[in-house]
Amino acid sequence: AQSVAQPEDQVNVAEGNPLTVKCTYSVSGNPYLFWYVQYPNRGLQFLLKYITGDNLVKGSYGFEAEFNKSQTSFHLKKPSALVSDSALYFCAVSPPSGGSYIPTFGRGTSLIVHP
Amino acid sequence: EPEVTQTPSHQVTQMGQEVILRCVPISNHLYFYWYRQILGQKVEFLVSFYNNEISEKSEIFDDQFSVERPDGSNFTLKIRSTKLEDSAMYFCASSVGGVSNQPQHFGDGTRLSIL
């Protein structure tokens, strides 16, 4: 069975500083990995995904994520945080094609960017 | 950009009553989903739907729950004989395809409060 861990409930960063939101996963075979963002009273919005190829994936709003197979990690990063980036971030993993395609979501990490 | 829309935004119901949550997926999407998010907890998969039938369902999706696509646009979740623990945010999502590498597009959710 696949699983996702987001080890930090909350990440605090000052505006203008780089940010990292951590995610590790467990799945049989090569994973499909996703990051979603949830703003207050809104649904989840897709940020980026890793399917195959370049380990560094670029997504919406200046976010990027690095796939590390040896460490089974897919950390979300941004070089310079904005106050408007404050939100709840969810990592998700889907199994490779064949069988279930339903993603498993992590518990979420609250990102707080201070002015 | 097309969106998934959900109604109502907030539903308050007496315990034991039936509720129907409504969703209009993105028009060219073929796969539909319901998720649940209990306050402060992670997003949990309930059910997926394709070609007018359930594709997958989780352990949460027991006989109390049912889904329907009554016409070409709406996708509904019915909860019979509601319980206090059914109080949660319910998110509808849709995707173009059903393979693991397709991102899902989420609505803003219905907050269900059982009294």
Side-chain angles (χ1 to χ4, degrees), chain A residues 25 27-33 50-52 67 69 93-97, chain B residues 100:
Chain A
Y25 66 89
V27 67
S28 298
N30 296 317
Y32 297 139
L33 295 157
Y50 171 81
I51 304 301
T52 187
F67 171 64
K69 188 171 184 177
V93 62
S94 291
S97 297
Chain B
S100 301

Side-chain angles (χ1 to χ4, degrees), chain B:
Chain B
E1 185 176 331
E3 295 182 340
V4 175
T5 57
Q6 291 186 242
T7 55
S9 57
H10 191 188
Q11 175 78 46
V12 181
T13 302
Q14 291 290 329
M15 185 173 59
Q17 298 296 306
E18 174 182 286
V19 295
I20 297 177
L21 309 183
R22 292 182 166 79
C23 169
V24 178
I26 295 174
S27 61
N28 65 333
H29 287 189
L30 300 178
Y31 292 79
F32 315 118
Y33 315 83
W34 283 102
Y35 288 84
R36 180 179 79 177
Q37 185 181 32
I38 295 173
L39 185 63
Q41 299 188 26
K42 67 178 182 179
V43 176
E44 300 174 297
F45 168 73
L46 293 178
V47 66
S48 63
F49 192 87
Y50 168 72
N51 199 27
N52 284 319
E53 61 183 24
I54 291 173
S55 305
E56 290 189 61
K57 59 182 181 179
S58 70
E59 293 177 351
I60 303 169
F61 194 88
D62 59 21
D63 292 342
Q64 184 192 7
F65 295 88
S66 62
V67 289
E68 191 178 32
R69 188 158 164 80
D71 54 43
S73 60
N74 290 285
F75 178 51
T76 63
L77 174 69
K78 182 187 290 185
I79 309 175
R80 287 178 285 273
S81 189
T82 50
K83 300 173 284 193
L84 293 177
E85 54 264 39
D86 294 327
S87 296
M89 283 290 290
Y90 287 81
F91 291 104
C92 174
S94 67
S95 63
V96 172
V99 295
S100 301
N101 60 10
Q102 294 291 322
Q104 296 171 326
H105 297 257
F106 286 77
D108 286 341
T110 293
R111 181 176 300 280
L112 178 62
S113 300
I114 307 299
L115 304 178

